[in-house]
Amino acid sequence: MPETKATPMLLTAREVQVRLRLGRSAVYALAREREISSVRIGAKVLFLEAEVEAFIRRNTVPAKRNFFGSHRYQDNRGAA
């Protein structure tokens, strides 16, 4: 069955592990602590792809602006 807007994409814990670069226990802990919403079907725990993406957005730390000061960073590696 092809995925449509009405059919949410469900990910396994292993797929979430790969996306977040976390261990299995950490993924299940995030589900247990309700940091990431999950769907339980029998013993299987699945994760909505949109929820995993929302988790990433909520936990993203924005970069500093003007890290190199008021001057633009210049690459002088090739300068003689």
Side-chain angles (χ1 to χ4, degrees):
M1 175 167 70
E3 183 183 339
T4 65
K5 289 282 185 189
T7 307
M9 178 67 164
L10 294 173
L11 303 173
T12 64
R14 176 73 181 133
E15 291 168 323
V16 175
Q17 275 182 266
V18 170
R19 287 189 185 204
L20 299 180
R21 293 178 172 86
L22 295 173
R24 186 184 71 187
S25 296
V27 171
Y28 287 118
L30 289 171
R32 186 175 51 255
E33 295 164 8
R34 297 188 178 164
E35 293 290 329
I36 298 178
S37 299
S38 60
V39 177
R40 182 175 287 276
I41 302 172
K44 188 100 170 155
V45 179
L46 299 170
F47 301 85
L48 290 163
E49 183 177 37
E51 290 292 327
V52 174
E53 291 170 1
F55 173 80
I56 293 169
R57 281 192 303 277
R58 284 193 311 271
N59 289 282
T60 298
V61 178
K64 281 184 168 180
R65 301 228 187 263
N66 294 328
F67 179 77
F68 293 105
S70 60
H71 302 289
R72 294 182 125 180
Y73 175 70
Q74 296 177 357
D75 185 0
N76 293 325
R77 286 181 274 170

